[in-house]
Amino acid sequence: MTLSSKNPETIVLHAGHRADPTTGAVAVPIYQTTSYQFQNTEHASNLFALKELGNIYTRIMNPTCDALEQRVAALEGGAAALAVASGQAASAMAIQNLARAGDNIVSSTDLYGGTWNLFANTLKDQGIEVRFVDPEDPEAFARATDDRTRAYYAETLPNPKLSVFPIREVAEIGRPLGIPLIVDNTAAPILCRPFDHGAAVIVYSTTKYIGGHGTSIGGLIVDGGNFDWDAVPARQPALHTPDPSYHGAVWVDAVRPLGPIAYVLKARVTLLRDTGAAMSPFNAFQFIQGLETLPLRIRAHCENAARVADYLQAHPKVERVIFPGLAKGKAKERVDTYLNRGFGGLLGFEIKGGKDAGASFINGLELFYHVANIGDARSLAIHPATTTHSQLTAEEQIASGVSDSYVRLSIGIEHIDDILADLEQALAKA
Ligand code: PLP
């Protein structure tokens, strides 16, 4: 069946899998296998030579992961995707696929704390410099660019600041230079389709809203198939020079007959092959289950979060509420442009009384879980300054929007009365 629907509610149920060809199973089966029987030696050699695409070994591809990859690629309007072991693996590989020692990327300062660490320390140790710029000023990306800049990087809806990234503005700076924009869309699936605004690559932590039930860690890299890697060949040597790790393949040429998937196919058959951060088929199955109800859940997250924002704004113990639905001026224009179906389920607030009041509030919660996660069906809370962002320096914390009194909430899909009652009683203790 060719799926013609453009509606996410339909795509998440039908793209990438119809029925299992051998058993007729409707649910995507868990192909819990390491390897695959080749038809003959010619078939095996064609697969290794990329003359035809097919299953070789589960570290590199797996049919359950493939269904997830196809489904999310269809949801985003992309060409192909790659499932990996975590969101962190997705971010790291998305960059390492283009940048080598001596190269640089330009990134927004507004990042998940773990990504900040990856960029500021681990990639730096590998010789890849990450130049951080303020996303409020898209031109800052242009100013930080030089001949060795291989990619731009940002999050659609970064927490804790929750100010929407100017995707189109930055993508348009990069395209004539041959520089793709990689967007982490973890906090805004369904709400924003970054490829529609010019992004070239999307990364996800599927651990969050896509999984939705707090059971599995995973990540995805989605190739938009919409970026002209040939526009400025010198800009992307990783795709334009012979790759000794794959008997001299020049990726843009080798993959051309297979479609506009050179970027993501290279990531699969070199980086995933060599570094091994593969998604397990069982986790892929869990993410497929989550994905099938994602549009419904996202709607409920958005409705509840908007109600919580209203409630907190009126509360005397709350200094300030940070929520995309309350954005003003330029920030509101970006919300209106990029978040088409709601403001998301994340929300921050600054509590009167600083760190101590924040701690008392978190310790007083009964329904909310106190965890380092977002995007679960359950409501979650955390104090970033002492947890997720604690490895950042004080200056870095301020730059990424974390103050001592900031509390982050990930609003779940429980009944709104119960969410508000828990906030009420915990604020009374703060
Ligand atoms: N990107 C964002 C926006 C995140 O919030 C997270 C995790 O919190 C990650 C990436 C990393 O994902 P994972 O925990 O699956 O490695």
Side-chain angles (χ1 to χ4, degrees), residues 20-231:
D20 182 57
T22 35
T23 63
V26 170
V28 180
I30 304 172
Y31 288 94
Q32 195 70 27
T33 182
T34 55
S35 33
Y36 307 85
Q37 165 85 344
F38 303 124
Q39 291 153 21
N40 49 47
T41 50
E42 189 192 358
H43 177 227
S45 124
N46 281 347
L47 292 177
F48 276 88
L50 300 177
K51 285 191 187 145
E52 63 183 284
L53 292 179
N55 296 318
I56 298 175
Y57 189 61
T58 281
R59 176 158 26 84
I60 314 171
M61 72 284 280
N62 172 278
T64 315
C65 297
D66 179 61
L68 173 69
E69 290 162 353
Q70 287 195 45
R71 223 163 247 198
V72 176
L75 182 66
E76 295 296 344
L82 177 63
V84 293
S86 66
Q88 285 299 104
S91 305
M93 273 194 213
I95 291 160
Q96 289 163 331
N97 202 32
L98 299 175
R100 298 167 174 164
D103 293 340
N104 66 75
I105 68 158
V106 182
S107 171
S108 162
T109 45
D110 296 356
L111 296 172
Y112 160 59
T115 307
W116 181 286
N117 253 319
L118 166 70
F119 286 5
N121 299 303
T122 302
L123 287 185
K124 184 173 165 205
D125 286 348
Q126 294 175 359
I128 299 170
E129 183 198 352
V130 180
R131 302 175 173 182
F132 294 102
V133 297
D134 183 352
E136 288 307 306
D137 175 15
E139 286 300 322
F141 280 79
R143 289 195 296 277
T145 301
D146 68 12
D147 288 349
R148 302 286 301 258
T149 303
R150 304 290 177 233
Y152 295 155
Y153 190 98
E155 293 180 14
T156 308
L157 183 57
N159 79 79
K161 279 189 192 163
L162 297 175
S163 45
V164 175
F165 183 76
I167 299 174
R168 181 169 301 282
E169 291 91 319
V170 175
E172 280 177 0
I173 292 170
R175 277 182 184 263
L177 303 172
I179 301 174
L181 172 63
I182 302 169
V183 172
D184 179 339
N185 203 41
T186 298
I190 307 288
L191 306 175
C192 177
R193 294 210 327 167
F195 295 148
D196 292 349
H197 305 287
V201 175
I202 296 173
V203 294
Y204 271 113
S205 165
T206 51
T207 314
K208 318 296 178 192
Y209 289 102
I210 290 179
H213 298 80
T215 62
S216 311
I217 301 280
L220 277 167
I221 301 172
V222 192
D223 186 334
N226 60 355
F227 192 79
D228 184 2
W229 299 102
D230 293 320

Side-chain angles (χ1 to χ4, degrees), residues 266-398:
K266 172 188 177 288
R268 183 188 293 282
V269 299
T270 62
L271 276 177
L272 186 59
R273 175 198 64 183
D274 298 346
T275 61
M279 182 184 283
S280 84
F282 181 72
N283 281 9
F285 174 81
Q286 299 278 35
F287 296 131
I288 290 166
Q289 301 313 296
L291 193 61
E292 292 188 350
T293 56
L294 180 65
L296 271 181
R297 282 187 288 108
I298 283 287
R299 208 176 302 151
H301 283 293
C302 289
E303 282 168 17
N304 280 349
R307 290 282 302 276
V308 170
D310 288 344
Y311 164 81
L312 289 176
Q313 268 217 307
H315 199 287
K317 286 198 175 159
V318 172
E319 192 83 57
R320 191 164 78 95
V321 180
I322 299 100
F323 183 63
L326 300 172
K328 304 240 167 7
K330 191 82 196 154
K332 178 171 173 9
E333 276 173 37
R334 289 183 183 152
V335 169
D336 293 343
T337 306
Y338 295 110
L339 297 186
N340 304 130
R341 289 174 167 239
F343 304 123
L346 301 178
L347 179 151
F349 72 97
E350 284 180 347
I351 193 162
K352 287 185 184 157
K355 208 176 198 164
D356 292 345
S360 308
F361 167 78
I362 297 244
N363 290 330
L365 288 167
E366 289 170 6
L367 183 75
F368 278 64
Y369 282 84
H370 177 201
V371 296
N373 194 21
I374 57 168
D376 196 297
R378 303 157 191 85
S379 289
L380 317 172
I382 202 157
H383 182 236
T386 52
T387 56
T388 51
H389 287 63
S390 60
Q391 277 131 44
L392 276 58
T393 63
E395 297 75 44
E396 287 170 345
Q397 285 194 1
I398 296 300

